[in-house]
Amino acid sequence: MSSILDNVLKELPAYLGSFTQMLTQPKQLVRDHLQTDDAKTRLEQSIAFLLLSFTIAVVLAVVFPEMTNPVQLASDEAGMAAHALAAVRLLFELLGLLALAYLAAKVAGVQSGFQRFFGVMCAACGVMLVIQVLAASLTNISLADPVTAKSWIALEKGMADLKPLLEQGVLCATNAQTGDVSPNAQLGTQLQSQLAALQAIYLQATGRPLFKLAAGLQLLALLILLIWSGRLWALYLQGHALSTGKVVLATVLLVVFTGAGTLVYELVNAGRTMMDLYRHCG
């Protein structure tokens, strides 16, 4: 971990300059890639920027984990692996979105090659990756409130106790032929009681001022990111002299493709999760 931090710190000054320029001047970012005579060099620079952004995102995710795991320490190897895996997953989600965006742009009439598109979007993915992880880290503000921190720890412990009951009493009680769940009145009463208690703890935690402040700041950061990425997308399409109608068409196609891709992605994840759970059934 120390060697990774050393490498990041060496590259940080130059990286921050590039990051700030891309974030504040998306028009210049698009122009540099579309008008360059050496698309290959630009692409290599964007890939290097994306890789460094990914490294920084992993470090941030480990040092300032999202509040979904407030008691998981950075020194915990399992915790570090989980946060690193989350950053890897986010990176591949962004790259998947990139592929869908390229398909939408080509259908709408963009003629430039994949190198220029990939160069712009790799740089964009680097910016989005870091901002998303930073937005997630803002949830730690709420943990400065001891009531929220203790409530969240109680929620984690309660969910850990609840998980085996759900697995054995609900998932593992599913009939393999019909898919119906065998009723268990005693278990149902126990689950209802524990869920009610956890809901009360959750409402107590989320009603605190610092929790609302952290959630508001996270939402603001994600809104800024959405506006920035939307502007970058429009600038890229306009850079190919597409009409307003074709820009709208490409955007609609991107939304449709993203919705379909997200549905398939979530179904795949749900199937994998269910299989993992069913393997624990005795």
Side-chain angles (χ1 to χ4, degrees), residues 45-67:
Q45 292 171 349
S46 292
I47 292 175
F49 177 82
L50 175 59
L51 292 175
L52 184 55
S53 295
F54 171 73
T55 305
I56 291 173
V58 171
V59 173
L60 288 173
V62 171
V63 178
F64 301 108
E66 191 173 4
M67 206 181 78

Short mmCIF file of all heavy atoms in Angstrom, two decimals, residues 45-67:
data_model
loop_
_atom_site.label_atom_id
_atom_site.label_comp_id
_atom_site.label_asym_id
_atom_site.label_seq_id
_atom_site.Cartn_x
_atom_site.Cartn_y
_atom_site.Cartn_z
N GLN A 45 -2.09 9.08 -23.76
CA GLN A 45 -2.12 10.00 -22.63
C GLN A 45 -3.42 9.84 -21.83
O GLN A 45 -3.40 9.86 -20.59
CB GLN A 45 -1.98 11.44 -23.11
CG GLN A 45 -0.62 11.77 -23.70
CD GLN A 45 -0.58 13.14 -24.36
OE1 GLN A 45 -1.60 13.78 -24.57
NE2 GLN A 45 0.62 13.60 -24.70
N SER A 46 -4.53 9.65 -22.54
CA SER A 46 -5.82 9.47 -21.86
C SER A 46 -5.86 8.17 -21.08
O SER A 46 -6.40 8.12 -19.96
CB SER A 46 -6.96 9.49 -22.88
OG SER A 46 -7.09 10.77 -23.45
N ILE A 47 -5.30 7.10 -21.65
CA ILE A 47 -5.28 5.81 -20.94
C ILE A 47 -4.41 5.91 -19.70
O ILE A 47 -4.77 5.39 -18.63
CB ILE A 47 -4.77 4.70 -21.88
CG1 ILE A 47 -5.80 4.44 -22.99
CG2 ILE A 47 -4.51 3.41 -21.10
CD1 ILE A 47 -5.35 3.45 -24.04
N ALA A 48 -3.27 6.61 -19.81
CA ALA A 48 -2.41 6.81 -18.64
C ALA A 48 -3.14 7.60 -17.56
O ALA A 48 -3.03 7.30 -16.36
CB ALA A 48 -1.12 7.53 -19.06
N PHE A 49 -3.90 8.62 -17.98
CA PHE A 49 -4.68 9.42 -17.04
C PHE A 49 -5.74 8.56 -16.36
O PHE A 49 -5.97 8.67 -15.15
CB PHE A 49 -5.33 10.59 -17.78
CG PHE A 49 -6.21 11.45 -16.91
CD1 PHE A 49 -5.67 12.44 -16.11
CD2 PHE A 49 -7.60 11.26 -16.91
CE1 PHE A 49 -6.49 13.24 -15.31
CE2 PHE A 49 -8.41 12.05 -16.11
CZ PHE A 49 -7.85 13.05 -15.31
N LEU A 50 -6.40 7.70 -17.13
CA LEU A 50 -7.43 6.83 -16.58
C LEU A 50 -6.83 5.85 -15.56
O LEU A 50 -7.41 5.62 -14.49
CB LEU A 50 -8.13 6.06 -17.70
CG LEU A 50 -9.16 5.00 -17.28
CD1 LEU A 50 -10.28 5.64 -16.46
CD2 LEU A 50 -9.73 4.29 -18.50
N LEU A 51 -5.69 5.28 -15.88
CA LEU A 51 -5.06 4.32 -14.97
C LEU A 51 -4.65 4.99 -13.66
O LEU A 51 -4.82 4.43 -12.58
CB LEU A 51 -3.84 3.68 -15.64
CG LEU A 51 -4.16 2.74 -16.81
CD1 LEU A 51 -2.87 2.26 -17.47
CD2 LEU A 51 -5.00 1.56 -16.35
N LEU A 52 -4.11 6.23 -13.76
CA LEU A 52 -3.74 6.95 -12.54
C LEU A 52 -4.99 7.33 -11.76
O LEU A 52 -5.00 7.26 -10.52
CB LEU A 52 -2.93 8.20 -12.89
CG LEU A 52 -2.38 9.00 -11.71
CD1 LEU A 52 -1.56 8.11 -10.78
CD2 LEU A 52 -1.55 10.18 -12.20
N SER A 53 -6.06 7.70 -12.47
CA SER A 53 -7.33 8.02 -11.80
C SER A 53 -7.86 6.80 -11.06
O SER A 53 -8.37 6.92 -9.93
CB SER A 53 -8.37 8.48 -12.83
OG SER A 53 -7.98 9.68 -13.44
N PHE A 54 -7.73 5.64 -11.68
CA PHE A 54 -8.19 4.40 -11.03
C PHE A 54 -7.39 4.14 -9.75
O PHE A 54 -7.96 3.78 -8.72
CB PHE A 54 -8.04 3.23 -11.99
CG PHE A 54 -8.29 1.89 -11.35
CD1 PHE A 54 -9.58 1.52 -11.00
CD2 PHE A 54 -7.24 1.04 -11.07
CE1 PHE A 54 -9.81 0.29 -10.39
CE2 PHE A 54 -7.47 -0.18 -10.46
CZ PHE A 54 -8.75 -0.56 -10.12
N THR A 55 -6.08 4.34 -9.82
CA THR A 55 -5.24 4.13 -8.63
C THR A 55 -5.63 5.09 -7.52
O THR A 55 -5.75 4.69 -6.35
CB THR A 55 -3.75 4.35 -8.99
OG1 THR A 55 -3.40 3.49 -10.07
CG2 THR A 55 -2.86 4.04 -7.80
N ILE A 56 -5.85 6.35 -7.87
CA ILE A 56 -6.27 7.33 -6.87
C ILE A 56 -7.64 6.97 -6.30
O ILE A 56 -7.88 7.09 -5.10
CB ILE A 56 -6.30 8.74 -7.49
CG1 ILE A 56 -4.86 9.19 -7.79
CG2 ILE A 56 -6.99 9.75 -6.59
CD1 ILE A 56 -4.76 10.49 -8.56
N ALA A 57 -8.54 6.49 -7.16
CA ALA A 57 -9.87 6.09 -6.70
C ALA A 57 -9.79 4.93 -5.72
O ALA A 57 -10.52 4.91 -4.72
CB ALA A 57 -10.74 5.72 -7.90
N VAL A 58 -8.92 3.97 -5.99
CA VAL A 58 -8.75 2.83 -5.07
C VAL A 58 -8.24 3.32 -3.72
O VAL A 58 -8.74 2.91 -2.67
CB VAL A 58 -7.79 1.79 -5.67
CG1 VAL A 58 -7.43 0.74 -4.63
CG2 VAL A 58 -8.41 1.12 -6.88
N VAL A 59 -7.24 4.21 -3.74
CA VAL A 59 -6.70 4.75 -2.49
C VAL A 59 -7.78 5.49 -1.71
O VAL A 59 -7.93 5.30 -0.50
CB VAL A 59 -5.49 5.67 -2.78
CG1 VAL A 59 -5.04 6.37 -1.50
CG2 VAL A 59 -4.33 4.89 -3.38
N LEU A 60 -8.54 6.33 -2.41
CA LEU A 60 -9.61 7.07 -1.74
C LEU A 60 -10.68 6.13 -1.18
O LEU A 60 -11.20 6.34 -0.08
CB LEU A 60 -10.25 8.05 -2.73
CG LEU A 60 -9.42 9.27 -3.11
CD1 LEU A 60 -10.11 10.05 -4.22
CD2 LEU A 60 -9.18 10.17 -1.90
N ALA A 61 -11.02 5.09 -1.95
CA ALA A 61 -12.05 4.14 -1.50
C ALA A 61 -11.62 3.38 -0.26
O ALA A 61 -12.44 2.99 0.56
CB ALA A 61 -12.38 3.17 -2.63
N VAL A 62 -10.30 3.15 -0.12
CA VAL A 62 -9.79 2.44 1.05
C VAL A 62 -9.68 3.36 2.25
O VAL A 62 -10.09 3.03 3.36
CB VAL A 62 -8.42 1.80 0.73
CG1 VAL A 62 -7.78 1.24 2.00
CG2 VAL A 62 -8.58 0.69 -0.30
N VAL A 63 -9.14 4.57 2.02
CA VAL A 63 -8.92 5.51 3.13
C VAL A 63 -10.23 6.13 3.60
O VAL A 63 -10.45 6.30 4.80
CB VAL A 63 -7.93 6.61 2.70
CG1 VAL A 63 -7.74 7.63 3.83
CG2 VAL A 63 -6.58 6.00 2.33
N PHE A 64 -11.11 6.46 2.65
CA PHE A 64 -12.41 7.06 2.99
C PHE A 64 -13.54 6.22 2.41
O PHE A 64 -14.18 6.61 1.43
CB PHE A 64 -12.50 8.49 2.46
CG PHE A 64 -11.43 9.40 2.98
CD1 PHE A 64 -10.40 9.83 2.16
CD2 PHE A 64 -11.46 9.83 4.30
CE1 PHE A 64 -9.42 10.67 2.63
CE2 PHE A 64 -10.48 10.67 4.79
CZ PHE A 64 -9.44 11.09 3.96
N PRO A 65 -13.79 5.05 2.99
CA PRO A 65 -14.83 4.17 2.43
C PRO A 65 -16.21 4.77 2.57
O PRO A 65 -16.48 5.55 3.48
CB PRO A 65 -14.70 2.90 3.27
CG PRO A 65 -14.11 3.36 4.56
CD PRO A 65 -13.18 4.47 4.20
N GLU A 66 -17.10 4.41 1.66
CA GLU A 66 -18.48 4.87 1.73
C GLU A 66 -19.12 4.36 3.02
O GLU A 66 -18.72 3.32 3.55
CB GLU A 66 -19.27 4.38 0.52
CG GLU A 66 -20.62 5.01 0.37
CD GLU A 66 -21.31 4.64 -0.93
OE1 GLU A 66 -20.74 3.81 -1.68
OE2 GLU A 66 -22.41 5.15 -1.19
N MET A 67 -20.11 5.07 3.51
CA MET A 67 -20.67 4.79 4.83
C MET A 67 -21.39 3.45 4.91
O MET A 67 -21.85 3.05 5.97
CB MET A 67 -21.63 5.91 5.25
CG MET A 67 -21.76 6.03 6.76
SD MET A 67 -22.91 7.30 7.26
CE MET A 67 -24.47 6.51 6.97
#
